[in-house]
């Protein structure tokens, strides 16, 4: 059995709508599956208003998006021992809307977005086609290991 990476996980539900279905134990399992190194992460569930404000203020895009990752590890000091540090923000309104549009359960879509956010926190991106293929392949592999179908397959 592969060694699990050390994880310090904080979960915040200022928007409490998913608190009963997307629980801390589920989040911990999904995050752990996507971790390639030790990490200190916060996952925060927000409404559209907070999601839009964060996306506007930090990315210059004036709309709420499904997941935002604020990775703090790029500027690490060597003594930090390569611990990934990030805040992952999930917008409940967008998550619920997309799940419905994609004919998925909210929990299934949340699992995908958490894995996606954790990979971003570890330096993965999808700015060009090569990066996107690598990141999507990892997401598919991780989600299948967790028992979820390929999130990019047509339904």
């Amino acid at each position: 059995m592969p060694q699990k990476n050390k994880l310090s996980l904080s979960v915040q539900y200022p928007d409490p709508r998913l608190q009963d279905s997307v629980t801390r134990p589920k989040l911990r399992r999904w995050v752990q599956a996507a971790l390639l190194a030790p990490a200190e992460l916060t996952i925060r569930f927000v409404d559209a208003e907070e999601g839009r404000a964060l996306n506007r203020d930090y990315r210059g895009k004036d709309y709420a998006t499904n997941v935002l990752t604020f990775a703090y590890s790029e500027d690490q000091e060597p003594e930090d021992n390569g611990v990934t540090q990030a805040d992952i923000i999930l917008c409940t309104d967008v998550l619920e809307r997309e799940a419905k549009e994609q004919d998925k359960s909210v929990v299934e879509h949340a699992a995908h977005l958490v894995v996606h956010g954790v990979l971003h926190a570890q330096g993965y991106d999808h700015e060009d086609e090569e990066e996107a293929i690598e990141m999507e392949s990892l997401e598919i592999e991780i989600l299948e290991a967790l028992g979820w179908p390929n999130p990019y397959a047509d339904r």
Side-chain angles (χ1 to χ4, degrees):
M1 184 172 203
Q3 176 88 15
K4 287 186 178 179
N5 287 299
K6 185 175 179 183
L7 171 63
S8 172
L9 179 63
S10 173
V11 181
Q12 302 171 354
Y13 297 94
D15 179 339
R17 287 178 281 172
L18 299 181
Q19 192 167 353
D20 293 334
S21 59
V22 182
T23 61
R24 182 174 166 51
K26 287 178 185 174
L27 291 166
R28 177 173 272 288
R29 182 170 173 257
W30 302 337
V31 168
Q32 194 72 63
L35 277 187
L36 307 171
E40 296 171 0
L41 303 175
T42 296
I43 296 178
R44 181 175 173 88
F45 289 86
V46 302
D47 61 16
E49 183 180 357
E50 184 175 344
R52 180 178 180 177
L54 289 167
N55 202 23
R56 180 187 62 237
D57 295 351
Y58 292 96
R59 295 182 63 229
K61 299 182 180 188
D62 194 16
Y63 58 87
T65 189
N66 54 14
V67 61
L68 288 168
T69 301
F70 296 96
Y72 307 114
S73 306
E74 288 96 14
D75 302 321
Q76 276 186 6
E77 298 300 319
E79 62 269 14
D80 289 339
N81 297 322
V83 174
T84 297
Q85 297 173 316
D87 292 335
I88 299 169
I89 313 299
L90 293 158
C91 181
T92 302
D93 294 291
V94 177
L95 192 157
E96 288 179 332
R97 185 188 76 235
E98 288 179 347
K100 186 175 183 178
E101 290 169 357
Q102 297 172 24
D103 196 28
K104 297 177 181 176
S105 74
V106 169
V107 173
E108 178 182 351
H109 195 42
H112 177 213
L113 294 180
V114 167
V115 167
H116 186 86
V118 171
L119 290 176
H120 271 309
Q122 297 173 103
Y124 287 89
D125 217 331
H126 44 81
E127 292 300 315
D128 64 42
E129 188 175 351
E130 189 176 319
E131 288 178 341
I133 290 168
E134 180 182 13
M135 188 170 176
E136 287 177 10
S137 296
L138 263 175
E139 289 174 44
I140 292 165
E141 182 182 319
I142 292 163
L143 288 164
E144 285 180 350
L146 288 167
W148 296 110
N150 177 346
Y152 298 104
D154 291 333
R155 295 192 168 220

